[in-house]
Structures are given as C-alpha cells and as structure tokens.
Amino acid sequence: MPAGYEPQRYEHCSEGLTMSNDLAGVWEVALSDGVHRIEFEHGTTTGKRVIYVDGKEVLRRDWMFKLVGKETFSVGSSDTKATINIDAVSGFAYEYTLEINGKSLKKYMENRSKVTSTWLLNLDGIDCRVVLEKDTMDVWCNGQKIETAGEFVDDGTETHFTLGDHNCCVKAVSSGKRRDGIIHTLLVDGTEVAECTE
C-alpha cells in the first residue's frame, strides 16, 4: 500500500453509516411506497458484498471466493424482489446491473410508468408523493397506503380519499383513443394537480 494510504471504514454515527471505498453501484428505485436508494459495495480483493437499502444494511457476505454472481434481496414495504448481477467485463473490471422483479431497472421503470401515476405536491407545508396503482386503484401517499372510496360516475370512476384536511379525488376517464387508454387525474380540493414522471 502507498505511504499515507488509509482505507475508509464504516463509522457508526448518529446519522447512519459512512460508506467504505468499495462502493460499486448506487441506484434510485421508485416504488409505490417511495423512492428507495440501493447501494452496493463489492470488495474485489476480499470478496465482500454489502447491500444497503435507504442506508440500512440488508445483506452482507464476507470472503466470497467467487467474485461474480448475483445477490437477491427485498426493497420497500411490499418486499419487491431486487437482484444485483455482478459480471466480469475484462481482467479485474466488473459490471453491476440491478433488476427489479426480474426486469432490468430501465424496463421496470418503463413498465411502471404505464401501471402507475405519480403526483408531487405540497399540502400545508408538507411535501406529498401520491401514487396510484392503476391495476388495483390503490393510492399511496409518502409510503402509506391510503384508505379510499371508489364510485362509478357518468364518464368513468372517481376514487376519493383525504390528505389531512384536504378532499382528494382521482378521476379515471376514457381518452376516447385506444392507444391512450384511460386518463387519470388528481384533484385536491377541486383543483387539478399535474402528474410527474419519475
């Protein structure tokens, strides 16, 4: 080791863990219960593998003799399956890819944008991330599944719920075009909120 070289180690402190210098990959994954940060450490000299989800260690393997392979773990309150693939590229270079529910992260996020709608808004000084799962019509806000009441109306459906003292409604109406399908709109106290893309 070069003179003056000091490898970084984990330090337990009140604000969580400090990462070592073996950090190999960081991904942000948007699920219904929130956006989760996945961090992966790979010690290519020791064979160490450590996975953190939202700063919390969820998997640790020390002294792995096989440096390539995969590690599977769960993310979020719905225990979504995630897998980190470790592949040798050349010599001592490695490639790390994340799969969510068996799909590449890119494919998963593309599919997710088709099956969910997300809105970001600020209510009474609190940032809110509202997610609608289109297949079940479940509504989530800041990681919590919200109790809703659905009803059929002349032009589609309305899913009613409250956030604090605010009356909210997701309206689902046909676009009239087969390609566009159903359009979901969030109304808070009667005012439309623009949908965001994650």
Side-chain angles (χ1 to χ4, degrees), residues 75-104:
V75 179
S77 61
S78 59
D79 288 331
T80 300
K81 180 182 166 192
T83 302
I84 295 175
N85 295 302
I86 308 156
D87 297 302
V89 181
S90 64
F92 291 102
Y94 297 91
E95 180 179 78
Y96 308 94
T97 54
L98 178 67
E99 292 179 358
I100 304 293
N101 283 340
K103 296 182 178 125
S104 72

Side-chain angles (χ1 to χ4, degrees), residues 5 7 11 20 27 30 46 50 53 58 66 69-70 81 83 102 120 127 145:
Y5 175 79
E11 298 171 23
S20 78
W27 299 270
T46 64
V50 185
V53 176
V58 297
K66 189 174 178 187
K70 56 177 66 177
K81 180 182 166 192
T83 302
L120 301 175
D127 288 331
K145 195 169 170 183

Side-chain angles (χ1 to χ4, degrees), residues 176-190:
K177 300 175 186 160
R178 184 174 177 184
R179 185 167 159 40
D180 295 338
I182 297 173
I183 298 171
H184 296 86
T185 308
L186 174 65
L187 302 171
V188 177
D189 296 330

Side-chain angles (χ1 to χ4, degrees), residues 154-175:
D154 290 340
D155 55 351
T157 64
E158 292 183 354
T159 303
H160 298 273
F161 57 99
T162 57
L163 294 175
D165 296 330
H166 300 276
N167 292 319
C168 305
C169 172
V170 174
K171 291 183 73 105
V173 296
S174 173
S175 64

Side-chain angles (χ1 to χ4, degrees), residues 28-37 54 129 198:
E28 301 271 324
V29 180
L31 301 176
S32 295
D33 67 344
V35 178
H36 299 280
R37 181 180 174 91
D54 299 326
R129 179 178 178 268
E198 292 185 307

Side-chain angles (χ1 to χ4, degrees), residues 44-141:
T44 55
T45 53
T46 64
K48 174 185 77 172
R49 298 178 188 178
V50 185
I51 298 173
Y52 297 89
V53 176
D54 299 326
K56 182 180 171 194
E57 185 177 306
V58 297
L59 184 138
R60 174 181 287 271
R61 297 194 199 289
D62 290 311
W63 302 106
M64 299 282 295
F65 293 107
K66 189 174 178 187
L67 294 177
V68 296
K70 56 177 66 177
E71 296 294 347
T72 300
F73 56 100
S74 297
V75 179
S77 61
S78 59
D79 288 331
T80 300
K81 180 182 166 192
T83 302
I84 295 175
N85 295 302
I86 308 156
D87 297 302
V89 181
S90 64
F92 291 102
Y94 297 91
E95 180 179 78
Y96 308 94
T97 54
L98 178 67
E99 292 179 358
I100 304 293
N101 283 340
K103 296 182 178 125
S104 72
L105 181 59
K106 183 178 185 220
K107 284 272 186 228
Y108 175 80
M109 296 311 288
E110 286 170 359
N111 184 59
R112 181 160 175 75
S113 69
K114 295 175 190 167
V115 298
T116 62
S117 291
T118 303
W119 298 271
L120 301 175
L121 58 148
N122 188 295
L123 290 177
D124 304 324
I126 299 169
D127 288 331
C128 297
R129 179 178 178 268
V130 177
V131 178
L132 169 71
E133 293 181 348
K134 296 175 186 176
D135 55 347
T136 61
M137 295 304 286
D138 287 339
V139 176
W140 295 73
C141 180

